[in-house]
Amino acid sequence: MAMPMRRTLVALHRATCRSLKNAEASLDVRHPVPLFLPVRTKKRYFIPPAVGQKGKRDVNVEAKAKAAGIVFRQEYFERPINIACTAGIFDPYIPPEGDARLSTLSKEGLKQRTEQLRQSAASQLAIRKIKEYDSQFTTKDFAEQAQEIFIEAHNYLTQFNREKLHSLVTERCYPEMTRGNRCKTIRWRFIESLEPPKVVHARCPDMISKGNLYGQVTVRMHSKQTVAVYDRFGRLMLGSEEQPKDVLEYLVIERHLVNPYGRWRLHGKIVPSWAPAKDPIIKTVMIPGPELEPGQEFEALNYSVPKPEPVQWNK
């Protein structure tokens, strides 16, 4: 009795499916929910891990992935680079010998003046290119702005404020300013300007690509400053806080022109070949004294400093 009933239900089901297919074909309408799910025919590449294997390291993951037919993407270890500033000074300004000492009325002074006018043609072209990206750029106002950047950068250097210093100097200038300042105390003060600062040189180089432009402007600054450097013991190493000195400097200020958020920052200094040598640094050296017994006093007048013995180095 069960078999005829089952055959009847199967025949009825087939007839219903046939009628539904005919109706869908005539009306070109498909049922929103399929009556039959397709059988899984694709191979499962991912095999779930076994129980208790979570957290354990596989011996060779690439071999298992290769056996499963999965190709691992090649990893590239790239170092990020920062192109916010250039690596050096392009076409640096050559200061004339005897600057700030020769008068323009003398023969040597007139010769230097004519040479500067001859070299200013390339600077005018660079200034014109800089004004295309910075409409407020003027040589007179920029010289004063460069002097303010110089004063603020050195004030933050004495305070060891790294965040403010990075906003005022480039990534090339920062290690040059902070090298050797660890465990030292710096006292720097700007007193006055002996001559108003002025723009003497300008260049607009590009780096990596043709349109990636950087503006480099050289500013001549003649001022009076004081500087004193103390070591970790509080002893004076260089300079003096009471005795000011006349300093003639050529500052290079740079900006990434194509960057709308770029700022003018101190990029470096140009030291001419005829500049006088710097004062030597006075270093504190510990000289070992004699070994005293308990209760014995040290007599400095009767003690002679021993000389180091010669050492023969064998290759």
Side-chain angles (χ1 to χ4, degrees), residues 88-96 172 176 200-203 216-221 248-253 266-275:
I89 301 174
F90 290 86
D91 192 10
Y93 174 70
I94 301 176
R172 174 189 175 272
E176 294 182 358
V200 295
H201 193 73
R203 288 295 182 269
Q216 291 185 355
V217 182
T218 305
V219 179
R220 178 186 179 275
M221 193 175 72
L248 178 63
E249 294 175 311
Y250 300 90
L251 312 176
V252 179
I253 314 296
L266 183 63
H267 189 61
K269 293 183 182 179
I270 297 176
V271 181
S273 58
W274 45 266

Side-chain angles (χ1 to χ4, degrees), residues 157 160 173-186 229-232 237-238 281 283:
L157 177 65
F160 294 99
C173 184
Y174 180 81
E176 294 182 358
M177 291 185 65
T178 58
R179 186 182 294 115
N181 296 343
R182 190 174 182 181
C183 301
K184 293 182 179 64
T185 303
I186 303 174
V229 181
Y230 300 91
D231 60 2
R232 58 178 179 170
M237 295 179 62
L238 179 69
I281 296 177
K283 294 186 178 180

Side-chain angles (χ1 to χ4, degrees), residues 11 14 47 104 107 114 150 158 166 182 195 240 313-314:
R14 289 177 179 175
I47 302 175
T104 56
K107 183 179 179 180
T114 53
F150 173 80
T158 58
H166 272 294
R182 190 174 182 181
E195 296 181 32
S240 174
W313 295 95
N314 298 324

Side-chain angles (χ1 to χ4, degrees), residues 36 76 106 121 130 135 285 313:
F36 303 99
Y76 298 94
S106 62
I130 291 172
S135 58
V285 182
W313 295 95

